[in-house]
């Protein structure tokens, strides 16, 4: 499916985002560097992730049904390592027919070992390239992950399914505070409300979104 906004919207979004992202605040200088996970199998990390919780960028303050798809590219033919397809509905109610799908495709570069590293950089648009550290990961099943931001202004809590066990979510919040020096003011849960029609319109398969998660 192709739900990308028109180029004018993309460019204006990009200019605004450029003014709000990519710069570490002075307060962050007192914080220790974020600790990435020890190992991350790039191939296993690929595929579909649902954004469960977020300290949002300006684009995500009201978003719903936010989904990221990661695709590993051929290093012989691509100048970057990973395509990141990020789509979301702009407002809180994803089933509102006036709530349009927005798209922010991104490029990713794995730092160090291309197939075994939790230290990435991503670019939502030229010339911005930001750190994208994977700071928590279910290393057994790759069922959840957390991506941080050096200044702690943003964080993304990801799940392979549109719901996350509340105990796991609370554990990750605790780790963010205790292990990664995060202040969770502003953290929001992203509404994930899916129907069969929404699954089709977003181009997801029944493997990526099983019937058991549909309303």
């Amino acid at each position: 499916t192709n739900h990308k906004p028109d180029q004018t919207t993309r460019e204006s979004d990009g200019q605004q985002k450029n003014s709000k992202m990519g710069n570490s605040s002075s307060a962050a200088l007192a914080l220790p560097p974020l600790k990435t996970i020890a190992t991350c199998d790039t191939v296993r990390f690929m595929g579909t992730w649902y954004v469960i919780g977020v300290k949002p960028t300006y684009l995500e303050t009201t978003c719903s049904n936010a989904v990221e798809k990661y695709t590993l590219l051929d290093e012989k033919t691509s100048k970057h390592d990973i395509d990141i397809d990020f789509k979301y509905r702009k407002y809180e109610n994803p089933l509102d027919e006036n709530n349009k799908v927005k798209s922010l495709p991104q490029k990713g570069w794995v730092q160090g070992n291309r197939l075994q590293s939790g230290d990435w950089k991503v670019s939502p648009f030229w010339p911005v390239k930001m750190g994208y550290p994977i700071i928590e990961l279910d290393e057994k099943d790759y069922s959840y992950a957390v991506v941080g931001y050096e200044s702690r202004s943003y964080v993304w809590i990801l799940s392979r399914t549109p719901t996350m066990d509340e105990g796991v979510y609370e554990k990750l919040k605790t780790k963010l505070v205790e292990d990664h020096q995060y202040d969770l003011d502003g953290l929001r849960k992203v509404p994930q409300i899916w129907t069969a029609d929404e699954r089709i319109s977003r181009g997801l398969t029944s493997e990526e979104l099983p019937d058991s998660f549909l309303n």
Side-chain angles (χ1 to χ4, degrees):
T1 56
N2 182 7
H3 296 287
K4 294 181 180 179
D6 63 53
Q7 191 62 34
T8 302
T9 302
R10 286 270 304 282
E11 288 175 354
S12 62
D13 278 359
Q15 289 162 0
Q16 188 175 357
K17 191 170 183 181
N18 195 20
S19 69
K20 298 195 177 187
M21 294 187 66
N23 298 311
S24 295
S25 67
S26 57
L29 297 177
L31 294 168
L34 280 174
K35 295 177 289 187
T36 60
I37 54 171
T39 59
C40 177
D41 184 328
T42 305
V43 173
R44 287 190 70 190
F45 196 92
M46 297 299 98
T48 301
W49 292 90
Y50 297 84
V51 184
I52 302 298
V54 64
K55 272 192 85 167
T57 66
Y58 87 96
L59 291 170
E60 301 164 296
T61 55
T62 60
C63 75
S64 60
N65 283 12
V67 179
E68 299 178 353
K69 290 189 179 184
Y70 295 79
T71 304
L72 185 63
L73 304 176
D74 186 339
E75 61 182 325
K76 295 178 182 178
T77 58
S78 177
K79 293 182 179 179
H80 61 284
D81 297 315
I82 297 166
D83 274 342
I84 305 170
D85 177 35
F86 175 44
K87 289 189 174 79
Y88 58 96
R89 292 194 182 271
K90 187 173 182 179
Y91 301 114
E92 292 269 353
N93 180 4
L95 304 184
D96 181 347
E97 62 182 17
N98 296 315
N99 190 4
K100 303 302 183 185
V101 174
K102 298 292 184 178
S103 175
L104 185 68
Q106 300 168 70
K107 297 176 180 178
W109 292 263
V110 182
Q111 307 300 291
N113 185 340
R114 184 175 187 266
L115 296 178
Q116 194 64 252
S117 173
D119 184 14
W120 298 8
K121 290 187 182 298
V122 301
S123 175
F125 46 80
W126 188 88
V128 173
K129 187 183 281 190
M130 305 177 299
Y132 199 76
I134 301 168
I135 58 176
E136 293 292 338
L137 179 67
D138 171 14
E139 294 185 20
K140 180 182 178 183
D141 298 321
Y142 282 58
S143 66
Y144 65 75
V146 179
V147 177
Y149 192 76
E150 199 64 48
S151 70
R152 278 65 164 186
S153 297
Y154 314 113
V155 73
W156 296 268
I157 299 175
L158 310 176
S159 173
R160 291 294 193 184
T161 62
T163 61
M164 176 180 280
D165 178 82
E166 196 62 28
V168 173
Y169 188 73
E170 290 301 318
K171 179 185 75 172
L172 294 175
K173 285 169 58 179
T174 299
K175 282 177 168 287
L176 282 169
V177 173
E178 295 182 355
D179 297 346
H180 303 290
Q181 300 80 44
Y182 261 87
D183 175 347
L184 295 184
D185 283 352
L187 181 74
R188 66 179 290 260
K189 268 204 168 176
V190 177
Q192 294 281 356
I193 305 170
W194 293 86
T195 62
D197 286 345
E198 173 74 346
R199 179 172 65 185
I200 292 170
S201 74
R202 297 289 294 276
L204 295 171
T205 68
S206 58
E207 289 183 353
E208 293 171 298
L209 182 57
D211 289 352
S212 58
F213 294 101
L214 299 180
N215 283 27

